[in-house]
DNA sequence: CGTAGATGTCGAAGCGCTTCGACTAAGCGT
DNA sequence: ACGCTTAGTCGAAGCGCTTCGACATCTACG
């Protein structure tokens, strides 16, 4: 394997000049640069990443801290990881995976101290997350995907649950729906302080109340059967319901099946809108689900970009980015009862 | 940040002794070791990963080569990546992600030459994969997840499509089914040389023929609508069909919906068995899908374990591991027409 | 009792790069 | 014509570790 020394000899210059030609830290004469380039081409030279890291005290590696995920986010999570890795690569960085639980603080600290990573991307951030405290004490730059309860001073990018829920409600209200329930993640996720569950729930409550509409929220385990059970319960307790906002893909499938089993036609009689989902999942149902898709790719790219800026010291303002889910209106949302000539839609077209 | 020098001074020994205490390469006296340990604890010392790598010429980093995945494997792929990262961490290795297309050979070569990774795990291997050729020429150890057309000399772990398909057929045949179709991935994946499509297709053909049963195979895009269309076509062309083996989650959901729309009760009239899937996906349907789940976790662990063995030089035999999918019999497979008192099941209970 | 082989420790030489200080040769304003 | 900045280059000193050779002790065995 060719080293910088080999290149230097072949080009008839010193190693430091080769280094400057490579990094651009100091100017290099045009002819010299050409000879160096030729030597590198001839030898097929690639700089040794490790040696470079040791000497420069910059590894160009960022770590992704992700608790092994049980929640059904899988599709989005993979998208996120992939896009983060791509964004890193575009900037000459590498992404390493650290599959460590939220509470394995000691392990995380040890890993940080090995100085393998210049910075850390934190996934699945809880409202109160011990890893964040650790990182604040360390000198390692970090960016949160998600956010703690008090994220003011911290770089973070998260789903804009509030805007997403508002848009979901708007979409249904414009279609004439007034009696809308929210089918969320499990009650356990709520008590565990899982950000999405809590933030989306609060937003749903607020935006429905703002419109003087009744607030109906159900927590539900992530399975089709749990979704069915919840719909059965709702059919009994909320007979005038005409639409469902869901944030739980597995339950959504069950819920739709159960609605149809109750003789509801979708979307003629009943609308379903799944948020923090994806068109891919939407395509798995029939009628094709109207979804609001999680911005996994955007979050990945943004988080990496911001983290690298911070590492390289070009960033002063903390990153506070909230990205709403994108609406992909398909076949499970349609005009509600008020649109059937009874009343005009409250807003819009 | 404490260095090994600090530890050595505090413990009153030389750095080399500290190094030996840490690596165990040479024996260290009991009392000395205790003093070193105490010094490390007191300083909160963690060895610098980069310096260690440079000196030892071993980075303890393995790279995961994965083409950005379009196919619907997402759930399994994430499982795979996670388990690979965990297995690596358990052995003191790090996993870095290299999101590079199958054909980006130059990029892959450059990355390899940077010597960041001691070894490479290759995902989404095609029957004829240029990356494999590249790796064979390089000196970097590698393990395939999947396999090429001629994988004899290469370390690889893959799904045992043959055993999986055979078990799927057995399961249905034992239940009394005789007319079984196979719903596979797209025709495009077949012509592109996508291993799973081709191997599963060949196995289905063989095992059905072995049982003197008709071979019905349909390729289908990965969406519910495509699945529905295929079922409509089958209803016309293969009216006596009583069971479906599927390898395409999105299409499976559509297929089931269409079957029910045709008045087929599942599993009373018609059985569906989804292979290379997962119980999690199975739980999204009602009735709950009988699945054969892809061994993502096992493949990840196995691939990493074998790769590390090879890196460390403890492995002589090439890894040739084929793991079948696990059957999780749920509610979409039931007795076929022959079990209705007409004929006894061909085998088993 | 002599000595071959462990055992235990140290100092020094790198690993392949970056970066600092120093130096020379131009180019510039005044 | 004078210093002064800038461009361009070099040599050497590390970055924080591992590993090699050397050496001093200690044990065991014929």
């Amino acid at each position: 394997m060719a080293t910088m020394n080999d290149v230097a000899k072949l080009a008839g210059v010193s190693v430091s000049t080769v280094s400057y030609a490579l990094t651009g830290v100091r100017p290099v004469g045009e002819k010299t640069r050409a000879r160096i380039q030729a030597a590198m081409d001839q030898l097929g030279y690639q700089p040794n990443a490790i040696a470079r890291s040791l000497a420069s005290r910059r590894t160009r590696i960022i770590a992704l801290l992700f608790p092994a995920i049980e929640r059904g986010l899988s599709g989005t999570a993979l998208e996120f990881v992939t896009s983060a890795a791509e964004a890193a690569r575009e900037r000459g960085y590498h992404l390493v995976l650290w599959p460590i639980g939220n509470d394995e603080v000691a392990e995380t600290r040890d890993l940080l101290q090995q100085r393998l990573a210049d910075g850390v991307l934190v996934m699945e951030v809880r409202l109160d997350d011990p890893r964040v405290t650790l990182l604040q004490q360390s000198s390692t730059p970090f960016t949160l995907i998600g956010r703690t309860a008090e994220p003011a001073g911290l770089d973070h990018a998260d789903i804009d649950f509030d805007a997403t829920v508002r848009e979901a409600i708007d979409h249904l209200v414009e279609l004439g729906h007034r009696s809308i329930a929210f089918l969320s993640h499990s009650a356990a996720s709520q008590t565990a302080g899982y950000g999405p569950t809590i933030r989306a729930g609060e937003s749903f409550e607020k935006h429905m109340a703002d419109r003087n509409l009744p607030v109906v929220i159900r927590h539900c385990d992530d399975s089709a059967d749990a979704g069915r059970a919840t719909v059965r319960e709702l059919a009994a307790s909320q007979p005038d319901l005409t639409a469902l906002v869901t944030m739980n893909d597995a339950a959504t499938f069950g819920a739709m099946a159960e609605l149809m089993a109750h003789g509801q036609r979708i979307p003629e009689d009943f609308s379903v809108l799944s948020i923090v989902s994806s068109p891919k999942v939407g395509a798995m149902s029939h009628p094709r689900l109207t979804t609001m898709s999680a911005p996994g790719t955007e979050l990945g790219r943004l988080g990496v970009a911001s983290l690298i800026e911070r590492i390289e010291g070009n960033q002063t303002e903390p990153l506070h980015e909230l990205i709403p889910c994108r609406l992909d209106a398909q076949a499970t949302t349609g005009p509600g009862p008020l649109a059937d000539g009874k009343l005009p839609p409250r807003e819009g077209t």
Side-chain angles (χ1 to χ4, degrees), chain A residues 304-326:
Chain A
V304 165
S306 147
L307 180 57
I308 291 178
E309 288 296 295
R310 175 116 298 150
I311 288 169
E312 300 186 341
N314 316 321
Q315 186 169 310
T316 50
E317 288 295 289
L319 175 80
H320 282 186
E321 190 85 25
L322 298 183
I323 308 176
C325 296
R326 285 179 308 280

Side-chain angles (χ1 to χ4, degrees), chain A residues 5-348:
Chain A
N5 219 319
D6 301 332
V7 175
K9 274 188 191 137
L10 186 56
V13 298
S14 74
V15 283
S16 48
T17 303
V18 177
S19 175
Y20 292 133
L22 222 47
T23 61
V25 168
R26 287 190 187 179
V28 169
E30 204 173 316
K31 308 190 66 170
T32 315
R33 155 167 286 119
R35 261 184 302 134
I36 291 174
Q37 186 60 54
M40 294 200 301
D41 291 348
Q42 184 180 331
L43 296 171
Y45 173 75
Q46 281 287 119
N48 180 305
I50 296 293
R52 189 200 274 261
S53 298
L54 182 60
S56 66
R57 259 139 296 187
R58 295 265 323 284
T59 65
R60 307 191 152 260
I61 293 175
I62 63 188
L64 180 61
L65 224 45
F66 74 110
I69 292 136
E70 322 76 19
R71 232 173 299 281
L73 304 186
S74 30
T76 305
L78 184 69
E79 230 177 51
F80 171 82
V81 172
T82 305
S83 73
E86 278 170 354
R89 189 161 91 83
E90 283 165 16
R91 291 170 173 75
Y93 277 69
H94 293 271
L95 187 73
V96 342
L97 256 32
W98 287 352
I100 314 184
N102 279 279
D103 299 305
E104 298 180 56
V105 179
E107 287 82 347
T108 310
R109 185 176 12 75
D110 288 354
L111 244 21
L112 284 174
Q113 290 212 102
Q114 291 179 207
R115 314 259 64 171
L116 204 248
D118 284 340
V120 177
L121 221 51
V122 190
M123 275 181 80
E124 299 278 311
V125 179
R126 292 197 312 220
L127 291 185
D128 178 14
D129 203 307
R131 299 173 301 172
V132 175
T133 320
L134 174 72
L135 282 160
Q136 285 179 297
Q137 290 160 4
S138 86
S139 56
T140 313
F142 64 99
T143 296
L144 309 180
I145 307 301
R147 57 203 140 123
T148 56
E150 290 297 342
L154 307 173
D155 285 322
H156 66 267
D158 197 1
I159 295 174
D160 189 339
F161 291 99
D162 193 61
T164 301
V165 168
R166 175 163 38 72
E167 187 176 348
I169 293 174
D170 279 349
H171 180 67
L172 292 169
V173 166
E174 282 175 25
L175 286 167
H177 296 275
R178 291 295 176 270
S179 187
I180 306 168
F182 180 45
L183 183 61
S184 180
H185 284 294
S186 69
S189 73
Q190 172 89 19
T191 55
Y194 183 58
T197 307
I198 290 171
R199 295 204 168 88
E202 286 172 356
S203 293
F204 185 81
E205 190 168 337
K206 170 172 143 247
H207 292 297
M208 290 299 277
D210 281 357
R211 290 168 176 72
N212 290 315
L213 297 176
V215 176
V216 180
I217 298 180
R218 290 295 182 274
H219 293 284
C220 175
D221 287 347
D222 294 10
S223 79
D225 288 337
R228 296 184 78 108
T230 304
V231 163
R232 274 195 298 278
E233 183 274 318
L234 282 172
S237 67
Q238 308 285 333
D240 55 347
L241 220 56
T242 64
L244 213 49
V245 173
T246 65
M247 186 174 71
N248 182 332
D249 283 335
T252 302
F253 280 75
M256 285 183 52
E258 186 71 17
L259 284 164
M260 295 183 190
H262 283 230
Q264 302 270 7
R265 292 165 307 159
I266 298 176
E268 292 82 357
D269 305 322
F270 205 98
S271 287
V272 177
L273 197 173
S274 178
I275 69 174
V276 196
S277 179
S278 73
K280 206 179 274 172
V281 169
M284 290 177 70
S285 93
H286 184 96
R288 193 179 275 242
L289 252 177
T290 293
T291 57
M292 292 189 67
S293 52
T297 304
E298 291 87 334
L299 290 175
R301 307 197 74 81
L302 206 63
V304 165
S306 147
L307 180 57
I308 291 178
E309 288 296 295
R310 175 116 298 150
I311 288 169
E312 300 186 341
N314 316 321
Q315 186 169 310
T316 50
E317 288 295 289
L319 175 80
H320 282 186
E321 190 85 25
L322 298 183
I323 308 176
C325 296
R326 285 179 308 280
L327 178 65
D328 177 38
Q330 292 288 345
T332 60
T333 45
L338 301 191
D340 285 347
K342 297 182 196 169
L343 269 178
R346 186 173 135 151
E347 316 170 38

